[in-house]
């Protein structure tokens, strides 16, 4: 309670920030989430040949069996669920991977609940009824989904209090702003969201499908066209040192079965993501072959041991995020600001907050700031706010949620269990704007 | 001191050095310091030996440095831990008075604070949004284009979003009601508030939606200028500034020229004025004073009135600026104007509408003219009187009968005279082309 000085009051709340790439979980008032769980669930029929005994991970503690029995997605057979990187990255027979997010919103609630179960059991390691829960959501989240989430949290997890905030507003808070134009470049899309006094102006949200996954797609095309083997690291037992651009020499792990296609796709995506994070760079000015090839090449070695230099490709690939006339990051930002009331535009331009994991592609913020300054009216001051740290940028919304949930004046905002029991889930729109 | 002695090769007895205590005159300390002066080798408590060695060498010389306050030693006192029992923190429940329900949350708190109210509750401020009853609505608030439901919805949103009209417009229920602009919502809200305030005789706020719309339209256009347009504008502004600078330069030059001319004129006139001061000793030509007088009056009339500066400068200026008296009007005249205005029961600074501005300036210009004419008349009369006295003194027994029209016997005559003079001079009613 001495936190009066800084206006903080910690009540043991939890913050969940579901994203396409991962779900971030942690305690409010901490500076980083406790865990980042991939937003994907592995499902395999139970009773199949198990590779390791410790696979029993799904579900919270003792209630795992009941979950398995009660909510199989398709048939009545028992299913096993594999959550979190350690379990996902091992090849397993018949394990199909399913994403539970779609278009920034939670799509498959059964899988989502599994992940929440897992977070409580393994990450939080505490009972859900002791911790108020703050969830983030995408600015275009639909009302039925909001209600459903609230219902699940109260009915199933018996949380004492619940709150739902738009992730763009949280990202703005994390950067110390209540009014900002939030450019969130995530896995599936890049969005420009104007936030005014902590409220998202929902009619002026602009999004484009050019995000991290798009880069992965383009990188995959390029690498496959070059005939590069994208076998993931977890399939490789050993590899030999080869010369630059020489054919890879490696030994595959002895696996008796063929991993599922979805697993292979996911794992090769992880491989490409690593490639993308290490190699890709956005050039500061629109792509030019001549300029790009003058920049020193970057060397990259694939899990198979194959390695080569990448020079102009790294710029050409990343250029896809910006060169589109209608969907480039700079364009959507200025469109979004242009849809807002003229009175707030100067405030928005003077704090453009950049967040999201994909914004960490090298040179992203420089290029965005250049593109945006070309579109900014001359009389307005443009200021880009991009956190330097990887954690702050990737978990912007989570950090904002962590801050918000531990502010003393926020504690009156929670939708409490009592309020939920009195007015039901329909109040979500009233309580959580 | 020691180093100075060394340099001077003097061998003086050790003098007690000045310290804070010595100056303050604390006897005890003084005694101790004397001792310290003699037994310099004593290391103060807590001072490191190496540091001490730097100050005091083996010769046991007095320290070359001014001794500092060593009463507390060189060591800072450490915090004494474990002396007191720390106050406890407890994970305890609390209710927040800012909440409508009495939900219990838990946080760390000192047990001593347990009875206190939740400290953040006092930040729970709500904006007072007026409420209306059915009767009030039906009687006063019905209006074209706004249904009761929509008004209710709008007021509800205003309450929820604390009158953030941009957010209200954003979250407006466009399925049930037509889409509204921020201005429409604001207009309706302030009208409702205004009517309700009128009913209860509270302060009213008016909102001019059309004006706002125009303002925003303008702002939008301002923001949507292309870089070329902005560049052109900058260029034009630069050119305009150049032109203005040139114009000012020209004006300054003409002013200088005029000053020179008027100075030359004055120089030509001063001897004449000197003449006027000497009429007692001169036998003046009867025709002469009148000639002098007319020229005097003419000059007075010419300079009379206030020359208000042109406000043809570019850029925006307040109209009230045009009513400001130029600096050339002296303090005496300003006072006179004020006095006259007060006598006439007029405001010193009327609302500067276009018409008032012009008329007011003319009026004041006339006032100055009047003042100057009066003073001119005064001098004329004085001269006339003095001439009469001279005449009588020179021709004892005779009296000079001054023609009646030259005397300011009645106000009517004066008025007539002034009118005549004004007519002669021209039309000072519109002085100096405002």
């Amino acid at each position: 309670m001495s936190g009066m000085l800084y206006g903080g009051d910690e009540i043991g709340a939890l913050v969940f920030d579901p994203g396409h790439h991962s779900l971030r979980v942690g305690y409010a008032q901490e500076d980083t989430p406790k865990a980042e769980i991939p937003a994907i669930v592995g499902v395999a029929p139970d009773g199949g040949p198990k590779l390791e005994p410790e696979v029993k991970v799904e579900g919270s503690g003792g209630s795992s069996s009941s979950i398995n029995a009660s909510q199989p997605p398709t048939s009545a057979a028992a299913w096993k669920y594999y959550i979190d990187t350690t379990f996902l990255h091992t090849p397993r027979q018949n394990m199909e991977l399913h994403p539970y997010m779609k278009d920034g919103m939670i799509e498959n609630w059964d899988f989502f609940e599994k992940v929440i179960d897992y977070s409580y059991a393994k990450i939080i390691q505490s009972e859900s009824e002791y911790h108020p829960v703050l969830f983030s959501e995408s600015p275009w989240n639909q009302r039925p989904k909001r209600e459903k989430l609230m219902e699940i949290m109260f009915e199933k997890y018996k949380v004492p209090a619940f709150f739902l905030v738009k992730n763009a507003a949280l990202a703005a808070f994390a950067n110390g702003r209540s009014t900002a134009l939030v450019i969130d470049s995530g896995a599936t899309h890049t969005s420009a969201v104007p936030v005014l006094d902590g409220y998202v102006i929902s009619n002026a949200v602009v999004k484009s499908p050019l995000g991290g996954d798009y880069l992965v797609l383009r990188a995959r095309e390029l690498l496959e066209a070059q005939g590069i083997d994208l076998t993931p690291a977890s399939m490789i037992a050993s590899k030999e040192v080869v010369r630059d651009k020489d054919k890879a020499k490696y030994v595959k792990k002895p696996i008796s079965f063929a991993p599922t296609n979805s697993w292979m796709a996911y794992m090769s995506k992880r491989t490409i993501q690593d490639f993308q994070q290490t190699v890709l760079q956005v050039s500061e000015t629109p792509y030019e072959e001549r300029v790009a090839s003058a920049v020193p090449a970057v060397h990259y070695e694939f899990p198979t041991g194959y390695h080569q230099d990448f020079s102009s490709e790294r710029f050409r690939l990343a250029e896809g995020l910006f060169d589109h006339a209608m969907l480039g990051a700079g364009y959507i930002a200025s469109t979004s600001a242009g849809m807002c009331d003229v009175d707030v535009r100067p405030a928005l331009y003077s704090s453009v907050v950049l967040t999201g994991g994909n914004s960490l592609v090298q040179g992203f913020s420089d290029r965005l700031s250049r593109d945006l300054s070309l579109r900014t009216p001359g009389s307005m001051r443009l200021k880009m706010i991009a956190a330097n740290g990887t954690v702050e940028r990737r978990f912007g919304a989570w950090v904002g949620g962590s801050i918000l949930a531990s502010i003393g004046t926020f504690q009156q905002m929670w939708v409490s269990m009592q309020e939920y029991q009195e007015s039901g889930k329909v109040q979500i729109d009233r309580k959580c704007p | 001191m020691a180093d100075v002695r060394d340099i001077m090769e003097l061998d003086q007895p050790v003098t007690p050095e000045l310290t804070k205590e010595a100056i303050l005159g604390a006897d005890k300390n003084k005694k101790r310091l004397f001792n310290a002066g003699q037994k310099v080798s004593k290391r103060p408590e807590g001072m490191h030996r190496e540091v001490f060695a730097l100050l005091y060498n083996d010769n046991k010389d007095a320290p070359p440095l001014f001794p500092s306050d060593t009463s507390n030693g060189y060591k800072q006192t450490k915090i004494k831990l474990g002396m007191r029992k720390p106050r406890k923190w407890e994970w305890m429940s609390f209710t927040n008075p800012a909440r409508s329900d009495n939900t219990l949350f838990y946080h760390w708190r000192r047990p001593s604070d347990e009875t206190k109210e939740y400290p953040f509750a006092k930040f729970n401020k709500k904006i007072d949004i007026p409420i209306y009853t059915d009767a009030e609505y039906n009687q006063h608030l019905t209006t074209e284009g706004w249904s009761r439901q929509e008004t209710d919805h709008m007021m509800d949103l205003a309450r929820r979003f604390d009158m953030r009209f941009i957010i209200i417009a954003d979250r407006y229920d466009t399925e049930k009601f037509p889409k509204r602009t921020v201005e429409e919502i604001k207009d309706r809200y302030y009208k409702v508030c205004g009517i309700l305030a009128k009913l209860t005789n509270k302060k009213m706020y008016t909102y001019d939606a059309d004006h706002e719309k125009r303002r925003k339209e303008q702002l939008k256009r301002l923001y949507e200028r292309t870089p070329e347009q902005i560049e052109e504008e900058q260029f034009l502004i630069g050119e305009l500034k150049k032109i203005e600078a040139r114009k000012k330069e020209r004006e300054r030059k003409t002013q200088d020229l005029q000053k020179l001319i008027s100075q030359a004129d004055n120089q030509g006139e001063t001897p004449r004025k000197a003449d006027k001061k000497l009429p007692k000793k001169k036998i003046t030509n009867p025709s002469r004073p009148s000639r002098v007088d007319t020229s005097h009056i003419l000059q007075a009339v010419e300079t009379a009135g206030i020359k208000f500066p042109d406000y043809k400068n570019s850029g925006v200026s307040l109209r009230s600026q045009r009513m400001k008296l130029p600096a050339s009007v002296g303090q005496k005249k300003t006072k006179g104007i004020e006095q006259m205005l007060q006598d006439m029961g007029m405001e010193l600074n009327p609302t500067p509408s276009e018409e008032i501005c012009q008329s007011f300036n003319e009026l004041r210009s006339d006032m100055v003219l009047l003042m100057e004419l009066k003073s001119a008349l005064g001098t004329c009369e004085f001269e006339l009187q003095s001439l009469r006295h001279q005449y009588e003194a020179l021709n004892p027994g005779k009296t000079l009968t001054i023609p009646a029209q030259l005397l300011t016997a009645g106000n009517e005559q004066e008025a007539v005279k002034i009118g005549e003079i004004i007519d002669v001079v021209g039309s000072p009613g519109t002085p100096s082309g405002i």
Side-chain angles (χ1 to χ4, degrees), chain A residues 1 4 9-11 197 199-203 341 343-344 346 377 380 408 411-412 414 416 419 429-430, chain B residues 89 98-99 101 103 106-108 118-120 124 156 160-161 164 166-167 170-171 215-216 219 223:
Chain A
M1 206 56 269
M4 199 54 216
D9 185 19
E10 205 256 324
I11 61 162
D197 290 343
Y199 296 105
V200 166
I201 302 177
S202 47
N203 287 324
D341 196 279
D343 283 349
V344 300
M380 268 190 253
Q411 312 307 344
Q412 67 179 76
W414 297 105
S416 67
E419 279 170 322
D429 266 11
R430 284 196 74 83
Chain B
W89 288 95
R99 295 185 65 92
D101 59 347
T103 305
Y106 290 83
H107 65 176
W108 288 104
Y118 188 58
F120 296 103
N124 183 29
D156 175 49
R160 272 170 59 192
F161 296 113
R164 288 182 180 89
I166 291 166
I167 304 291
D170 180 59
R171 305 294 163 88
R215 180 183 72 82
K216 282 193 179 170
L219 199 59
Y223 287 147

Side-chain angles (χ1 to χ4, degrees), chain A residues 15-27:
Chain A
V15 178
F16 289 83
D17 175 28
H20 246 285
H21 179 72
S22 59
L23 168 77
R24 276 74 68 175
V25 190
Y27 278 101

Side-chain angles (χ1 to χ4, degrees), chain A residues 190-374:
Chain A
T190 300
S191 62
V193 186
V195 179
L196 179 66
D197 290 343
Y199 296 105
V200 166
I201 302 177
S202 47
N203 287 324
V205 173
V206 181
K207 57 175 177 148
S208 86
L210 306 182
D213 287 355
Y214 171 72
L215 280 189
V216 168
L217 197 76
R218 290 195 33 154
R220 189 193 289 272
E221 275 170 16
L222 174 94
L223 297 176
E224 277 172 359
Q226 292 188 358
I228 293 168
D229 189 350
L230 291 171
T231 310
S234 46
M235 292 282 286
I236 293 163
S238 67
K239 60 184 174 186
E240 279 173 47
V241 176
V242 291
R243 282 225 311 275
D244 196 23
K245 291 202 172 183
D246 271 1
K247 203 175 172 342
K249 286 181 197 153
Y250 64 94
V251 183
K252 272 199 182 183
K253 269 188 190 164
I255 302 171
S256 56
F257 55 91
T260 59
N261 284 338
S262 62
W263 185 82
M264 280 306 284
Y266 174 72
M267 289 313 290
S268 64
K269 184 178 162 186
R270 296 303 289 228
T271 311
I272 297 166
Q273 266 169 359
D274 183 65
F275 163 78
Q276 170 196 327
Q277 283 154 11
T278 339
V279 172
L280 292 202
Q281 184 170 354
V282 186
S283 64
E284 208 165 315
T285 49
Y287 175 78
E288 262 179 81
E289 181 76 40
R290 196 172 44 78
V291 180
S293 49
V295 179
V298 167
H299 196 79
Y300 184 77
E301 183 180 322
F302 289 90
T304 53
Y306 175 85
H307 56 100
Q308 75 159 79
D309 278 347
F310 291 90
S311 60
S312 65
E313 301 96 312
R314 49 198 282 257
F315 290 101
R316 204 169 60 231
L317 284 174
E319 189 66 16
L321 292 173
F322 286 94
D323 63 356
H324 197 283
M326 298 290 287
L327 299 171
Y331 181 82
I332 61 163
S334 59
T335 313
S336 168
M339 284 159 81
C340 295
D341 196 279
V342 269
D343 283 349
V344 300
R345 279 184 220 171
L348 294 179
Y349 275 112
S350 65
S351 57
V352 178
V353 166
L354 185 60
T355 187
N358 191 45
S359 72
L360 284 166
V361 177
Q362 273 185 65
F364 191 101
S365 64
D366 294 337
R367 178 63 180 278
L368 178 62
S369 130
R370 183 191 166 274
D371 278 14
L372 204 50
S373 67
L374 290 180

Side-chain angles (χ1 to χ4, degrees), chain B residues 73-282:
Chain B
Y74 281 85
K75 213 193 314 186
Q76 283 196 336
T77 39
K78 277 184 184 159
I79 302 164
K80 281 167 182 144
L81 293 169
M83 297 298 285
R84 211 156 47 99
K85 225 180 171 184
R87 289 176 299 158
K88 270 192 180 136
W89 288 95
E90 224 171 276
W91 183 250
M92 58 169 79
S93 67
F94 69 99
T95 52
N96 190 343
R99 295 185 65 92
S100 53
D101 59 347
N102 288 321
T103 305
L104 286 181
F105 288 116
Y106 290 83
H107 65 176
W108 288 104
R109 199 171 200 183
R110 298 222 187 263
S112 55
D113 291 343
E114 195 174 0
T115 48
K116 283 185 196 156
E117 192 190 52
Y118 188 58
F120 296 103
K122 65 169 181 248
F123 296 112
N124 183 29
K125 301 287 183 220
K126 286 259 183 326
I127 292 181
D128 205 11
I129 308 283
I131 33 174
Y132 44 79
T133 60
D134 289 351
E136 275 174 336
Y137 186 88
N138 292 331
Q139 227 176 339
H140 305 285
L141 298 173
T142 47
T143 183
E144 196 103 337
W146 283 81
S147 65
R148 171 74 198 259
Q149 284 78 24
E150 195 176 357
T151 311
D152 286 350
H153 176 62
M154 189 269 294
M155 295 304 271
D156 175 49
L157 284 175
R159 210 162 290 133
R160 272 170 59 192
F161 296 113
D162 298 324
M163 287 168 64
R164 288 182 180 89
F165 287 100
I166 291 166
I167 304 291
I168 294 171
D170 180 59
R171 305 294 163 88
Y172 214 71
D173 193 343
T174 44
E175 278 171 27
K176 279 192 209 153
F177 311 112
K179 205 165 162 49
R180 301 278 187 184
T181 63
V182 177
E183 288 79 36
E184 281 170 342
I185 295 169
K186 251 183 169 173
D187 187 39
R188 174 67 176 156
Y189 173 81
Y190 281 109
K191 271 190 184 134
V192 168
C193 286
I195 292 165
L196 290 173
K198 217 192 237 168
L199 291 177
T200 50
N201 285 324
K202 269 192 262 170
K203 196 173 186 303
M204 248 179 83
Y205 296 99
T206 46
Y207 176 76
D208 189 347
D210 277 343
H211 179 268
E212 270 300 271
K213 233 180 258 170
R214 282 199 303 276
R215 180 183 72 82
K216 282 193 179 170
E217 196 54 46
Q218 238 168 2
L219 199 59
K220 209 174 184 172
R221 256 183 279 159
L222 181 73
Y223 287 147
E224 278 167 5
R225 288 174 305 171
T226 59
E228 291 84 45
Q229 282 170 324
I230 293 171
E231 213 168 272
E232 193 184 335
E233 197 187 296
Q234 289 295 335
F235 173 72
L236 287 176
I237 288 172
E239 289 296 298
L240 186 69
K241 272 192 184 142
K242 267 188 223 159
I243 290 169
E244 258 171 25
R246 256 179 261 146
K247 191 177 150 197
K248 263 197 190 137
E249 180 73 8
R250 235 184 358 253
E251 267 172 15
R252 201 172 55 79
K253 272 183 186 160
T254 41
Q255 256 179 14
D256 285 354
L257 201 64
Q258 246 159 14
K259 226 185 243 171
L260 281 174
I261 291 168
S262 63
Q263 262 175 9
D265 281 359
N266 284 347
Q267 272 169 2
E269 242 165 62
T270 31
R272 228 180 256 172
K273 271 183 187 166
D275 278 357
K276 271 191 281 170
K277 277 178 187 169
L278 298 171
K280 285 167 201 162
K281 287 170 193 169
K282 260 190 185 172

